[in-house]
Amino acid sequence: MGEKPLKKLQVWKYQRRRLRLLIFLLRFPRLVYVLTRLLRFVMPGRETRSNSARRHSFSMIGGGLVRPADLKAMRYVYLDYLEYMDDLLYAEKGTWPVVWSEFNLSNEILRVLDVVMYVPESMAIMGHNMGTHTTVKIIEAAEREGLPTEFCSAGKAAIGAYLTHQAPKPDLLISSSHPCDSVVSSYQTLEYLTKAPLFSVDTPYWDDDGSVDYYADNLLELIGFLEDNTGLKVNWEDLAQVCDNINKTNALLQEYTEMARAVPSPCNLTCLLLGWQHSIAAHGTENGLKFAQMICENAKARLAKGKGFIKKQKIRVIWWDIPIGFHFLEPWLNRRFGAVTVADFMGRVNTSMIDLSSRETMIRDLARTHLNIAMARQLRGPAEFFTEELKRILEEYSGDCMIFTRHQGCKGGWAMGKLIRDVCQKADLPVLFLSTDSFDPRFASEQEIKREITGFFQNNGLA
Ligand code: SF4
């Protein structure tokens, strides 16, 4: 390749430096707001190797459209990210056991054990902050070892991160059989490569009480596996506290999700997706709760005044698939077309409460929340789990169009093409089926995707 190999954990060290600076600056959210407003005039429209990291990070903090009150809230999420990165970099010292936890497996149990948690797929999401080419390089490392192009790039980034020494050495791996075969097989590969013991929670296909009980039994087995292999004990009082935070956070984020039904929508996808990303790294923290409280209050204040997150909202987009991960498109959609994503597949929170009255109820309801997180909820069972939720959204969110990412790894999504098209046709809603890889721009570049969306809006009289 003629390129320098990445130094050990270089991606995380780089990101930690940048994150520290961002957290410092966000002590002054008004200043950051003004700076980002100005930056948008000089931010290049096209990605190059030298501007890729800057452009990506700029889009992820909202591209100059997020106001100071929401920026202030976002700082709480970044504080938890920093702790996550500190832990995984400190893990090298070997003080605590290191547990790798798959990104669809909610990790509150790990939060009450003295372990370092690392989410292997976080490389696919966060690696782009060091430039899209960095993540591609990591994905290519996995492909050189035999992972096929068609495999989910989140899984390839997870494996590539290990191969390129961008992940702390694991003592244990935990995963699940949801939401897809890519995840299952990527953990078999990681087990083979790392030689660390793997526990995979077996996910039921259905949603009935028996299925929930089955999953709850699996969670108890998972606790046994973690305790046996680390010599640590789950602190049930701490777990109740984490679950209490999860209840409060989810209730607020659910309210936020629902507020997006208003026209104009007072909500913004930058915050909602940040909430989802936070739940991957640090579900149930005090910081996560503060973030949810603040963005909810801010959106309520806008709603009370009849104000939208952006002033001129012309197109209401339903984005019913995973977002484009290598470049966050929402600021461009907002600015270029007055388009706002009012319902999205990943950020949308739609789950039940955890009953904290006993260990049994807590584990049973934790099982429910696990089965209800994004991707697991819609993709682990029959196609109706996906299409029925889509139908409800089409009824409730007054969308003008639907966009489906068609991430090349999501074979379930590809297979449902006809069903999705028919649901949208029945609702008389134009739908765009992109053809992308959410985390890998080699499949379709940012410019190609933007061209397709532009053409779609124009052809349907939306722009
Ligand atoms: S459901 Fe799709 S995006 Fe999620 S892990 Fe599987 S292939 Fe990747």
Side-chain angles (χ1 to χ4, degrees):
M1 280 167 72
E3 273 191 66
K4 276 197 219 159
L6 289 164
K7 290 186 196 144
K8 193 174 181 187
L9 296 170
Q10 186 183 347
V11 173
W12 297 111
K13 286 178 185 164
Y14 170 89
Q15 293 206 49
R16 186 171 63 168
R17 281 197 302 277
R18 301 269 297 241
L19 193 57
R20 278 183 177 149
L21 177 64
L22 180 61
I23 288 170
F24 171 75
L25 290 173
L26 280 173
R27 285 181 177 195
F28 316 101
R30 281 176 195 282
L31 175 70
V32 173
Y33 177 63
V34 172
L35 283 177
T36 52
R37 298 284 294 177
L38 293 174
L39 265 178
R40 76 196 163 111
F41 294 113
V42 291
M43 198 53 68
R46 272 178 181 272
E47 181 183 271
T48 62
R49 204 180 163 82
S50 61
N51 69 28
S52 175
R54 248 179 306 145
R55 285 183 83 251
H56 180 74
S57 304
F58 183 65
S59 74
M60 291 302 286
I61 61 163
L65 289 164
V66 177
R67 289 173 186 279
D70 281 334
L71 286 170
K72 196 172 170 186
M74 286 160 70
R75 185 170 184 271
Y76 286 102
V77 170
Y78 298 138
L79 284 169
D80 278 349
Y81 279 2
L82 184 62
E83 194 179 320
Y84 172 75
M85 288 181 202
D86 279 344
D87 282 357
L88 76 89
L89 289 170
Y90 191 77
E92 283 301 292
K93 298 194 189 304
T95 312
W96 298 294
V98 178
V99 183
W100 288 14
S101 173
E102 181 237 312
F103 74 150
N104 287 289
L105 182 64
S106 196
N107 51 48
E108 54 293 301
I109 292 167
L110 295 182
R111 300 197 53 73
V112 296
L113 286 169
D114 258 347
V115 298
V116 169
M117 183 196 64
Y118 169 68
V119 180
E121 296 81 4
S122 57
M123 182 57 78
I125 299 161
M126 292 170 149
H128 296 288
N129 285 318
M130 197 172 154
T132 304
H133 51 277
T134 307
T135 312
V136 168
K137 191 169 166 173
I138 288 167
I139 290 172
E140 282 175 343
E143 288 173 348
R144 278 198 300 280
E145 294 298 319
L147 272 294
T149 319
E150 297 79 12
F151 198 84
C152 178
S153 45
K156 281 190 286 191
I159 293 164
Y162 175 76
L163 294 169
T164 54
H165 311 290
Q166 301 306 307
K169 194 174 172 307
D171 294 297
L172 299 174
L173 312 174
I174 62 172
S175 180
S176 68
S177 61
H178 65 252
C180 65
D181 289 348
S182 270
V183 160
V184 174
S185 51
S186 61
Y187 276 79
Q188 286 171 353
T189 306
L190 286 172
E191 181 188 26
Y192 168 76
L193 286 170
T194 64
K195 312 278 184 275
L198 165 69
F199 185 94
S200 185
V201 178
D202 190 27
T203 314
Y205 191 72
W206 299 106
D207 251 353
D208 53 82
D209 287 348
S211 301
V212 174
D213 290 344
Y214 175 75
Y215 190 90
D217 286 345
N218 261 277
L219 284 184
L220 288 172
E221 275 186 50
L222 170 66
I223 290 174
F225 169 82
L226 290 167
E227 290 184 338
D228 289 349
N229 282 283
T230 60
L232 299 166
K233 285 278 168 213
V234 163
N235 181 325
W236 287 86
E237 277 177 26
D238 286 354
L239 186 58
Q241 180 57 56
V242 168
C243 289
D244 190 35
N245 283 348
I246 289 175
N247 277 344
K248 290 172 182 158
T249 307
N250 279 345
L252 289 159
L253 292 179
Q254 203 151 329
E255 197 181 345
Y256 192 86
T257 301
E258 296 299 328
M259 276 191 274
R261 289 156 62 174
V263 182
S265 165
C267 306
N268 79 81
L269 189 63
T270 304
C271 284
L272 210 46
L273 278 180
L274 196 64
W276 171 72
Q277 286 181 25
H278 177 268
S279 71
I280 291 177
H283 210 17
T285 62
E286 292 292 330
N287 280 337
L289 177 55
K290 274 187 209 147
F291 162 75
Q293 281 164 340
M294 289 169 77
I295 62 163
C296 217
E297 283 311 312
N298 298 338
K300 269 188 201 165
R302 288 191 286 267
L303 184 66
K305 292 181 196 153
K307 283 188 176 173
F309 167 69
I310 58 163
K311 273 189 193 152
K312 290 182 187 152
Q313 298 191 6
K314 294 185 189 149
I315 309 171
R316 292 172 65 85
V317 178
I318 313 273
W319 195 297
W320 201 236
D321 197 1
I322 63 170
I324 302 297
F326 63 80
H327 185 78
F328 184 48
L329 290 173
E330 190 70 9
W332 172 77
L333 285 169
N334 288 175
R335 212 169 256 133
R336 173 87 170 75
F337 300 105
V340 283
T341 303
V342 291
D344 114 288
F345 190 74
M346 298 304 290
R348 182 180 163 72
V349 175
N350 181 12
T351 192
S352 50
M353 291 286 124
I354 303 166
D355 180 346
L356 306 175
S357 54
S358 70
R359 287 185 186 187
E360 288 71 31
T361 59
M362 199 154 68
I363 288 294
R364 181 202 61 206
D365 291 347
L366 256 183
R368 277 190 213 284
T369 61
H370 277 218
L371 296 174
N372 270 321
I373 62 170
M375 273 204 277
R377 181 172 78 242
Q378 305 98 337
L379 293 171
R380 73 186 150 76
E384 286 75 17
F385 283 6
F386 187 99
T387 52
E388 289 304 313
E389 192 172 342
L390 173 60
K391 280 184 204 166
R392 277 200 304 279
I393 283 168
L394 297 193
E395 277 166 20
E396 294 172 4
Y397 281 78
S398 318
D400 295 308
C401 63
M402 212 281 268
I403 298 181
F404 189 74
T405 311
R406 205 143 60 172
H407 169 61
Q408 60 82 21
C410 288
K411 301 300 176 288
W414 283 80
M416 280 188 286
K418 168 69 177 156
L419 305 184
I420 296 166
R421 187 178 292 283
D422 283 2
V423 168
C424 292
Q425 228 162 37
K426 222 171 169 180
D428 203 17
L429 201 74
V431 54
L432 171 64
F433 286 92
L434 291 165
S435 200
T436 71
D437 185 313
S438 181
F439 308 107
D440 184 347
R442 292 174 302 169
F443 205 82
S445 69
E446 179 194 329
Q447 296 307 324
E448 284 164 338
I449 294 169
K450 283 180 172 174
R451 251 199 311 278
E452 274 204 67
I453 293 175
T454 304
F456 169 69
F457 284 163
Q458 287 169 344
N459 292 340
N460 286 284
L462 296 167

